[in-house]
Amino acid sequence: MKVLKRDIRSVNIRMVRLGLCFIIAITALCGVSVHATSYSVSSASEIADLSERLLAGDTVIMRSGTWIDQEIIFEGMGEEGKPIVLLVEESNGVVLSGTSTLRIAGEYLEVNGLRFENGYSSSGAVVEFRNGSSELASHSRLTNCTIVSYNPTDKDMDYKWVSVYGAYNRVDHCSFSGKEHSGTTLVVWLNDTPNYTQIDHNYFGSRPDLGYNGGETIRIGTSSNSMKESRAMVEFNLFEECDGEIEIISNKSCFNTYRYNTFRDCAGCLTLRHGNDCLVYGNFFFGNEKSSGGVRIIGERHQVYNNYFEGLKGDDYRSAICLMNGVPDSPLNRYFQVQDAVVIFNTIVGCKMPLMVGAGKDAEKSLAPVNCTFANNVIDKTSGSNHVVIEDASAQITWLGNVVNADEEEEELSDGFLLADPHLEYTEGMWRPASSSPLIDAAQGEFPLLTEDIDGQSRSEKKDIGCDEYMESEILISPLEKNEVGPYAYQEEPVLGIFNKAYQMKDMVKWVVDRRSICFSVNEASFLPINYSLYDVSGRIVNSGKITNLTTHIGIEDRNKILLARFVSKKQYYQSYKLLINNGMF
């Protein structure tokens, strides 16, 4: 039995959260001059007018309300650690509707908290990391933003919701749902150099079947540039009811990583459609009896390991794991032969077609997979008629250490398969090896680079078969729930939301600071307990905790990093000020 723990993920997704929105708004209200400047705006034209004046560390605050038909162009040149931030006055306080769009162009820019609803884009994507074809964004970020049902009346109108251009950009803690028209939800566009895009901790919600190609949720690259390196990272995202087409994720470039994502009730697959050398590991696929698929492999040197597949009722192209046949001398937009694929240490439970090899074989797609490895996988409780389907018998597969719960009379399998009950038990949200399982310490082959299991725990020297290593210790990574992704995930309260019901105090807490410590002095015991947070100039929390005594000392590494302090009493009071660090007093 394992102990569930979400700390590793909660640490990741608490980066620049509640503090950033809070600090900027309070700084503007206080009107105190600091190294950076805050501007309050109420239209796209006012944002554009600021573009020549914005400096690294500045903040533009969008006043709460409904912004109609606003074409926002956010440009500037921030610096590492000092981004220029476009921020809403309060969480969910700004709604962009009509034909509103956003363009981000420059370096070290951050857009935080926007919501697009009740509208559509009349030209281009809803959000683009560029302004025109030549002004791209780099080292920039879209966070805590929402696009919901931003659809035209004609479902055949093709536009994307987010188009990422440039390099080293990030889309995180956003929510995208209700896309009903043609066009991929989020696209990463390539040029001649790797982009290193990061897509993490987002919620991708319901998207109905489009009825034809073009309904992907994420696409990285295109057929024409699919042999170029992208090196994007897609991690810790939740996909629910993403049914737009067979490709939930469409990989069309090289050296991308897809890890720690959760797929629930999605009638499609994570498809390595074009490109080579991608990693797919640590993902959770739950079909819940829907015609869902898992991972479809096309191309060279892909590695698929440590994944969990449960209840997927898709078959053929939508098998839990599908290796396609290829086209001789394939053009970029067809099917390259599967070569040197490594499919190891996966767990497949309750699926209709766990493994398909040589899918799509016909007169054109005549090249079977070659030099591939299928090792140390476990297949159990299969709901279809076959555990392994070999569509093209000329496929060259090394079978090693796989366990399948079947009888010899049911299915004839080659060497490299043990027909046995793997003794899986349902604990902590998935089927795992019981203490009596023959999977324990039974993996064959060395695979020295496989050092962790799907839970983020270290593999023992004698590895277990399947995605999960049997051990009685804390689970570090687990399937995602909706409250763990998307805007303001893990926040106990909405940004600034407490001020709708709390009273501002000027002297609830007094304090003195020296080089290495702060002394808090609470005026009245009735205010206790008080939560405090200290923020740096970029909005990151550098220290936080709870004050339970009238006098409290805390240590700090460097007081010069601290810009603001916030105090919230359980008695519905709050206090916050900019810190005057130059004289050692607040």
Side-chain angles (χ1 to χ4, degrees):
M1 181 70 69
K2 296 195 178 185
V3 179
L4 178 63
K5 185 174 182 180
R6 304 181 185 271
D7 288 355
I8 187 171
R9 194 165 62 246
S10 64
V11 168
N12 286 335
I13 57 187
R14 283 171 175 161
M15 298 171 59
V16 190
R17 229 5 2 105
L18 166 66
L20 181 56
C21 288
F22 178 85
I23 314 170
I24 301 303
I26 293 300
T27 302
L29 292 173
C30 293
V32 182
S33 176
V34 292
H35 295 298
T37 303
S38 295
Y39 302 92
S40 181
V41 296
S42 57
S43 68
S45 60
E46 291 182 14
I47 296 173
D49 290 342
L50 289 172
S51 61
E52 298 295 326
R53 285 190 281 165
L54 292 174
L55 302 174
D58 285 352
T59 301
V60 180
I61 304 170
M62 300 171 65
R63 296 194 188 105
S64 295
T66 300
W67 293 41
I68 304 174
D69 300 335
Q70 298 293 304
E71 297 180 2
I72 298 173
I73 300 175
F74 181 47
E75 297 181 299
M77 299 296 290
E79 299 174 1
E80 185 174 5
K82 296 174 64 179
I84 302 173
V85 179
L86 178 65
L87 183 71
V88 296
E89 189 173 34
E90 59 181 322
S91 64
N92 298 312
V94 172
V95 176
L96 292 152
S97 64
T99 57
S100 296
T101 55
L102 170 67
R103 303 293 179 259
I104 306 168
E107 296 183 5
Y108 294 101
L109 303 174
E110 180 176 316
V111 177
N112 192 324
L114 277 60
R115 182 181 181 90
F116 290 85
E117 192 173 8
N118 299 322
Y120 68 97
S121 172
S122 60
S123 178
V126 181
V127 178
E128 294 187 6
F129 280 68
R130 68 172 184 174
N131 182 25
S133 60
S134 59
E135 298 180 45
L136 308 184
S138 66
H139 300 281
S140 295
R141 182 181 183 196
L142 183 75
T143 187
N144 287 328
C145 293
T146 297
I147 306 178
V148 57
S149 301
Y150 213 63
N151 298 310
T153 55
D154 180 5
K155 85 163 200 172
D156 295 327
M157 183 175 177
D158 186 334
Y159 63 83
K160 284 63 178 171
W161 278 8
V162 178
S163 283
V164 183
Y165 297 85
Y168 298 99
N169 295 311
R170 183 183 181 197
V171 178
D172 69 284
H173 295 92
C174 294
S175 179
F176 309 102
S177 61
K179 192 176 195 298
E180 298 178 354
H181 64 95
S182 180
T184 308
T185 305
L186 188 158
V187 177
V188 177
W189 302 91
L190 272 63
N191 53 32
D192 292 332
T193 57
N195 57 74
Y196 296 99
T197 301
Q198 184 174 347
I199 302 168
D200 65 283
H201 299 96
N202 300 289
Y203 177 73
F204 293 95
S206 62
R207 177 164 191 186
D209 184 1
L210 183 63
Y212 52 85
N213 191 36
E216 307 97 326
T217 297
I218 293 178
R219 193 185 77 226
I220 300 180
T222 60
S223 299
S224 60
N225 58 21
S226 57
M227 293 298 108
K228 295 179 180 178
E229 292 186 22
S230 173
R231 297 192 181 273
M233 175 70 74
V234 180
E235 62 179 355
F236 292 109
N237 301 284
L238 174 59
F239 301 82
E240 287 189 330
E241 299 182 353
C242 295
D243 302 339
E245 63 154 80
I246 189 173
E247 299 177 15
I248 306 168
I249 294 178
S250 182
N251 179 87
K252 294 187 175 181
S253 49
C254 301
F255 292 100
N256 297 311
T257 299
Y258 304 93
R259 65 180 188 181
Y260 312 138
N261 302 287
T262 301
F263 299 82
R264 297 184 189 276
D265 307 336
C266 298
C269 313
L270 191 168
T271 303
L272 304 175
R273 182 63 183 86
H274 300 304
N276 305 316
D277 299 287
C278 291
L279 302 179
V280 180
Y281 66 90
N283 301 285
F284 302 87
F285 296 81
F286 299 95
N288 292 329
E289 307 307 312
K290 200 169 186 177
S291 182
S292 302
V295 179
R296 185 158 60 112
I297 302 172
I298 304 151
E300 302 178 10
R301 296 179 299 279
H302 297 306
Q303 299 182 47
V304 178
Y305 60 94
N306 275 356
N307 299 287
Y308 181 79
F309 307 88
E310 180 187 323
L312 308 180
K313 298 309 178 184
D315 54 16
D316 297 325
Y317 284 19
R318 297 177 195 244
S319 300
I321 298 176
C322 172
L323 279 67
M324 290 282 298
N325 256 30
V327 175
D329 300 316
S330 177
L332 289 173
N333 65 345
R334 292 303 290 154
Y335 291 88
F336 280 73
Q337 185 179 24
V338 177
Q339 299 184 48
D340 304 306
V342 176
V343 181
I344 57 175
F345 292 91
N346 299 286
T347 297
I348 306 171
V349 181
C351 296
K352 181 179 180 181
M353 188 170 287
L355 174 64
M356 160 73 82
V357 177
K361 178 187 177 183
D362 58 21
E364 181 200 25
K365 294 187 287 294
S366 60
L367 298 179
V370 295
N371 300 324
C372 299
T373 300
F374 190 81
N376 298 313
N377 303 283
V378 57
I379 299 173
D380 191 21
K381 301 174 178 60
T382 299
S383 60
S385 57
N386 293 94
H387 298 81
V388 177
V389 177
I390 308 295
E391 191 75 10
D392 193 331
S394 66
Q396 300 173 18
I397 310 289
T398 297
W399 309 100
L400 181 68
N402 303 288
V403 174
V404 176
N405 192 358
D407 297 327
E408 291 185 18
E409 294 77 15
E410 292 180 7
E411 194 166 353
E412 183 177 345
L413 296 173
S414 65
D415 293 339
F417 285 92
L418 171 65
L419 302 182
D421 184 344
H423 291 188
L424 301 180
E425 60 180 8
Y426 194 80
T427 60
E428 303 295 355
M430 55 187 280
W431 291 94
R432 304 173 183 275
S435 58
S436 59
S437 174
L439 307 177
I440 297 172
D441 297 338
Q444 298 183 31
E446 295 298 324
F447 304 104
L449 297 181
L450 193 79
T451 59
E452 294 182 348
D453 72 352
I454 194 171
D455 298 325
Q457 299 169 323
S458 297
R459 292 259 185 187
S460 58
E461 184 176 352
K462 292 184 177 180
K463 298 178 177 65
D464 296 352
I465 295 172
C467 68
D468 182 55
E469 192 84 359
Y470 177 81
M471 58 182 67
E472 295 183 359
S473 59
E474 294 172 337
I475 292 175
L476 303 178
I477 299 171
S478 58
L480 289 159
E481 302 294 339
K482 191 173 179 180
N483 68 324
E484 298 173 295
V485 294
Y488 313 111
Y490 272 109
Q491 289 195 86
E492 295 180 358
E493 61 196 34
V495 175
L496 297 185
I498 189 170
F499 302 116
N500 295 327
K501 59 183 180 181
Y503 298 96
Q504 182 172 358
M505 303 291 291
K506 290 186 177 181
D507 297 315
M508 183 168 65
V509 181
K510 294 182 180 179
W511 58 99
V512 177
V513 60
D514 59 26
R515 291 184 178 180
R516 295 294 181 185
S517 67
I518 296 177
C519 176
F520 294 128
S521 178
V522 181
N523 282 348
E524 296 181 18
S526 61
F527 292 130
L528 296 172
I530 297 172
N531 292 320
Y532 72 87
S533 298
L534 306 178
Y535 303 89
D536 67 14
V537 70
S538 66
R540 292 173 173 81
I541 296 178
V542 296
N543 198 299
S544 63
K546 182 175 291 187
I547 301 172
T548 56
N549 300 312
L550 291 176
T551 302
T552 301
H553 292 268
I554 66 166
I556 55 173
E557 290 293 326
D558 183 358
R559 70 174 191 183
N560 293 309
K561 290 183 178 180
I562 301 174
L563 173 66
L564 290 178
R566 182 186 82 150
F567 303 90
V568 178
S569 168
K570 294 296 184 182
K571 306 301 182 182
Q572 299 300 297
Y573 300 102
Y574 75 91
Q575 176 184 351
S576 53
Y577 287 108
K578 172 186 171 291
L579 308 190
L580 303 178
I581 58 177
N582 57 342
N583 62 6
M585 298 291 291
F586 286 69

